[in-house]
Amino acid sequence: MNSMHDAGSSRSFRWWHETVIGALLVIVLLVAGWLVPGFLKPQSQLLLSRQLWEFAILALGMTLIIITGGIDLSVGSTMGLSAVAFGGVHAASGSLVAASLACLATGLCCGAVNGALVSQLRLHPLIVTLATFAAYRGIAEGWSQGHSYSRFGDDFSNLARGSWLGVPLPGTFFFVMAIGFAVFLAKTPNGRFLHAIGHNERAAKFSGIAVDRIRFWLYTMSGLLAGLASLIYVARFDTAKADFGKGFELDVITAVVLGGTSIYGGRGNILGTILGLLLIHETRMFVSRYWGSDELRSIVIGCLLIVAVLAYQLVSRRRRS
Amino acid sequence: MSRSQTPTIGHDSNTVRLSVRFARLIRHREVGLLLLITLTSVVVGIKDIHFLSFEVWRDILVRCAPTAIVACGVMLVVVTGEIDISVGSLMALLAAVMGRMISENELDLSCWIGIPATLCLGTLIGVCTGSLVSLGRVPSIIVTLGLLTALRGLTTLMMGGENIDRLPEGLTQLAKQGLFGVPISILTAVGVIGLTSVLIHHIPLGRRLYALGSSAESARMAGLSEVRLKLFVFGYTGFLTALATIVDVPRLPKIESGIGSEFELLVVTCVVVGGVAISGGQGRLIGVLLAVVLMTMIRPVLTFIDIGEAGEKWTRAIQGMFILLAVVTDSFFSRRQRGSEKEHAA
């Protein structure tokens, strides 16, 4: 990623944001380790990390989408719908494979609908995903009729609870994907095109980039990732309900933006997103461990988001002038 | 209207003329929305004549009121090219603060202190949002996203897991029965709509907001203060949210920390369905108001056509489909004009 040369930017050190977020992360970890005994122990970190992976997987797709200047508010609802699809198919057929496929396929379809609306009808992503945010959740509620499905067997829950070489399975999965996404974003032409689209969509179009096709696949992929995240979530709780993933979209966007991806598009990378995710995750875990309060947690996260972006804006403006 | 709303259509061949004419009519989003509202009312009215009764529509309008009040503010925010998705959480916080101050079980202050304080707090938070956006240059979606989370947490913390009830008798009476038989929330909504309309159409400020939204660069060159205008729109939205809280919340039996959740989405949806361009600079108040009525109607309509217990659960799906339909139809009919439209959406 060091080889990236942005024509428009003249900053000499381009990892500034990542450094700040990394430093913040270290501070949070140090404070947490000091105030909460045993917080930094590998075991407790591994235990806590269970709550991270679904977010992390969603954040990968969201990073790419936000880099192109778009947004996907429907990921949480897609998760709910996929979970219900999983439960419904499992109840009907009793097959875990069929249910998992249904779960992923539902996510894929949800994403494809978003993608088609955004790329073919040229609707603003915010509007499209705001509409499908309501629609997918509604379909999930209507389909499941408030019913929750559960007991899918231990083998299945081990998918989310088990570990490989000491790393939880979803975590291994996430890291493999994260590397794939990072390479795609930094080293492949299509990945670079995402930045181009985010910088100036019109110019990208005129220079021959298939903007619509890329957009379509981006949102489809985001839907598929939501299906995947839903699968992990279902496995972790051994339950499938329509309200799964509620509010996830906001947390995921928070993590991505905190990681230095510009909400206007054109700037961002996977490393930043991972740091953003970790910062939010550790802050959360620390706050809820230390004060034992979930409310405080959301206050801290909300303020963190605003303050981080504000600080970045203030400093980068000074650097520019 | 002084804004260049009339579309110029390039095609002039006979074959497309008719459809273009139709498209032009539908392009006035208000016409489409009005048609949809009338059609739905008539169809439901035929099935059950009670739907067209005074009581039902009074109830629908009462439900519309808070959304309409806040939508007036959010619409102006969107017109300037920004967005505000924190109104739901702000409403909850204001409701909690107001409840704490005036409830007979809590501080039991006079309404004359509690209500102005709530209004001030709302405006203050709005102005803070505005200054973060304009002075701090933090994108509005980020600021309001942060506030959405933070204010909700603050509210839950303040309420401490308990509900607030026993608001002063006078206030609940006013909210339920209103003045001269008209619920106070409807009166307030009418006032706010009038005020906003005057602001948009008769005061230079309104025109400046549209100017800022269509091109921030030109607006700056024309000597408009971006900072001041943005402070105003966010402050106004905060004020209106406080107003909506004051007139609507006493109607409820008790104040819970979950008040106003997803309210921001409803408001933004109404603004968008009402034809306000998300990239700023375009949109009319009447469209937004019709969208508010349409979106609020859905639930009563579903009750009236009696879809049963199972159907009840589909309400949100139908709502979502409705939004999708509105947005897709609109894009379908306005596509012809796309060619001439500016494409530099900021």
Side-chain angles (χ1 to χ4, degrees):
Chain A
M1 268 191 254
N2 279 318
S3 64
M4 95 182 205
H5 289 294
D6 250 340
S9 140
S10 58
R11 282 189 292 155
S12 49
F13 179 57
R14 50 181 77 258
W15 299 96
W16 195 86
H17 196 99
E18 285 75 8
T19 318
V20 170
I21 298 296
L24 265 175
L25 179 61
V26 172
I27 293 172
V28 168
L29 281 176
L30 286 179
V31 172
W34 177 43
L35 290 175
V36 183
F39 186 80
L40 293 180
K41 275 196 191 135
Q43 290 98 323
S44 55
Q45 280 297 321
L46 275 181
L47 200 67
L48 294 177
S49 78
R50 278 193 186 165
Q51 301 177 36
L52 170 69
W53 307 120
E54 295 98 17
F55 284 109
I57 288 174
L58 292 177
L60 290 178
M62 191 70 83
T63 308
L64 300 199
I65 287 184
I66 294 184
I67 285 177
T68 63
I71 199 159
D72 187 351
L73 293 175
S74 72
V75 285
S77 301
T78 306
M79 273 184 74
L81 186 53
S82 305
V84 170
F86 181 93
V89 171
H90 184 264
S93 68
S95 155
L96 277 173
V97 179
S100 309
L101 284 178
C103 181
L104 294 177
T106 310
L108 190 79
C109 290
C110 289
V113 169
N114 286 339
L117 290 173
V118 169
S119 65
Q120 298 308 309
L121 292 181
R122 310 265 163 76
L123 292 168
H124 196 288
L126 189 70
I127 298 173
V128 171
T129 55
L130 196 61
T132 53
F133 164 87
Y136 294 160
R137 180 74 67 198
I139 296 172
E141 280 171 0
W143 186 358
S144 70
Q145 291 290 320
H147 186 69
S148 76
Y149 308 89
S150 57
R151 296 219 198 95
F152 305 117
D154 285 345
D155 288 345
F156 183 63
S157 1
N158 277 340
L159 272 180
R161 293 175 192 165
S163 56
W164 179 69
L165 298 179
V167 185
L169 279 180
T172 322
F173 200 69
F174 166 72
F175 283 116
V176 171
M177 275 205 318
I179 292 169
F181 270 73
V183 171
F184 168 74
L185 198 55
K187 298 290 181 195
T188 67
N190 275 325
R192 303 307 303 155
F193 289 166
L194 298 186
H195 291 268
I197 295 173
H199 259 304
N200 188 337
E201 189 185 331
R202 214 171 181 192
K205 210 173 274 173
F206 284 148
S207 50
I209 298 174
V211 175
D212 288 343
R213 206 174 59 210
I214 292 181
R215 277 248 161 96
F216 174 77
W217 287 112
L218 263 187
Y219 286 92
T220 311
M221 176 228 32
S222 175
L224 181 64
L225 290 181
L228 192 67
S230 170
L231 199 61
I232 296 173
Y233 204 74
V234 169
R236 185 153 70 91
F237 287 100
D238 204 11
T239 310
K241 254 169 73 181
D243 66 349
F244 274 13
K246 213 164 210 170
F248 271 37
E249 55 283 330
L250 297 181
D251 290 359
V252 170
I253 295 169
T254 307
V256 172
V257 169
L258 208 51
T261 304
S262 161
I263 198 89
Y264 296 131
R267 179 165 57 79
N269 60 51
I270 297 290
L271 179 67
T273 297
I274 294 178
L275 287 173
L277 273 168
L278 287 176
L279 180 59
I280 285 195
H281 173 72
E282 299 296 348
T283 314
R284 263 193 166 161
M285 293 303 134
F286 163 61
V287 171
S288 52
R289 272 287 188 92
Y290 189 65
W291 283 285
S293 139
D294 278 358
E295 296 83 47
L296 210 57
R297 198 165 90 166
S298 45
I299 299 177
V300 170
I301 300 290
C303 295
L304 195 66
L305 174 69
I306 298 176
V307 169
V309 178
L310 181 66
Y312 179 78
Q313 289 289 352
L314 291 179
V315 173
S316 69
R317 205 181 337 163
R318 187 166 305 153
R319 290 167 72 93
R320 239 177 277 140
S321 62
Chain B
M1 270 197 183
S2 59
R3 275 175 293 122
S4 54
Q5 266 276 335
T6 43
T8 46
I9 294 162
H11 313 280
D12 220 13
S13 81
N14 279 329
T15 43
V16 290
R17 190 171 288 160
L18 203 75
S19 64
V20 164
R21 216 179 245 179
F22 182 58
R24 195 190 275 169
L25 188 67
I26 288 283
R27 199 180 127 76
H28 288 288
R29 177 107 51 146
E30 296 80 15
V31 178
L33 287 170
L34 201 59
L35 268 177
L36 213 52
I37 293 175
T38 329
L39 210 68
T40 322
S41 323
V42 168
V43 169
V44 180
I46 287 171
K47 193 170 175 295
D48 186 346
I49 194 68
H50 291 297
F51 184 73
L52 299 178
S53 69
F54 175 71
E55 282 76 28
V56 171
W57 276 91
R58 185 183 133 124
D59 182 54
I60 291 181
L61 288 182
V62 167
R63 283 163 193 254
C64 280
T67 322
I69 294 173
V70 178
C72 284
V74 173
M75 177 203 162
L76 293 185
V77 172
V78 177
V79 160
T80 58
E82 303 289 345
I83 197 161
D84 190 338
I85 53 169
S86 67
V87 287
S89 299
L90 180 57
M91 189 175 230
L93 179 73
L94 293 172
V97 170
M98 183 177 77
R100 267 285 147 93
M101 282 194 287
I102 62 177
S103 164
E104 285 161 14
N105 288 350
E106 313 268 343
L107 292 176
D108 199 11
L109 293 174
S110 148
C111 282
W112 297 109
I113 304 174
I115 288 177
T118 311
L119 285 173
C120 286
L121 182 65
T123 318
L124 188 70
I125 294 179
V127 169
C128 287
T129 317
S131 51
L132 279 170
V133 171
S134 58
L135 296 170
R137 301 214 158 268
V138 185
S140 54
I141 187 158
I142 307 259
V143 179
T144 53
L145 184 66
L147 284 179
L148 175 76
T149 325
L151 294 182
R152 178 70 62 188
L154 199 60
T155 310
T156 329
L157 203 66
M158 257 189 70
M159 311 268 293
E162 283 170 31
N163 297 326
I164 298 174
D165 49 9
R166 294 196 57 204
L167 292 181
E169 196 70 16
L171 202 61
T172 36
Q173 283 303 316
L174 203 60
K176 279 183 187 148
Q177 266 127 41
L179 289 175
F180 317 115
V182 186
I184 192 86
S185 57
I186 294 185
L187 287 177
T188 317
V190 169
V192 168
I193 291 164
L195 181 68
T196 313
S197 161
V198 167
L199 201 107
I200 294 176
H201 299 300
H202 300 287
I203 295 184
L205 181 65
R207 214 143 303 152
R208 288 184 188 145
L209 297 178
Y210 280 90
L212 181 63
S214 27
S215 169
E217 190 69 46
S218 334
R220 211 173 300 131
M221 285 181 179
L224 301 184
S225 159
E226 195 177 345
V227 173
R228 222 179 294 165
L229 291 175
K230 289 201 168 152
L231 281 181
F232 169 76
V233 286
F234 282 101
Y236 190 57
T237 306
F239 173 76
L240 292 184
T241 311
L243 210 54
T245 313
I246 291 165
V247 295
D248 194 55
V249 166
R251 213 166 48 84
L252 308 170
K254 57 181 182 260
I255 301 177
E256 298 163 291
S257 62
I259 276 184
S261 71
E262 298 199 359
F263 181 63
E264 57 281 332
L265 292 170
L266 177 67
V267 172
V268 172
T269 306
C270 289
V271 168
V272 167
V273 170
V276 181
I278 202 90
S279 47
Q282 249 181 31
R284 291 202 252 179
L285 186 59
I286 181 80
V288 175
L289 296 176
L290 287 171
V292 170
V293 175
L294 185 67
M295 298 308 300
T296 318
M297 258 175 79
I298 297 176
R299 202 170 273 275
V301 162
L302 289 178
T303 329
F304 261 87
I305 55 178
D306 195 24
I307 38 175
E309 189 78 18
E312 198 70 354
K313 293 270 192 316
W314 285 97
T315 315
R316 281 186 53 145
I318 294 169
Q319 249 164 351
M321 292 300 180
F322 237 75
I323 307 170
L324 214 55
L325 195 72
V327 172
V328 170
T329 337
D330 180 65
S331 97
F332 188 73
F333 283 115
S334 62
R335 255 190 126 171
R336 245 173 270 272
Q337 277 82 39
R338 279 293 154 100
S340 59
E341 217 174 80
K342 62 182 167 91
E343 243 190 285
H344 69 283

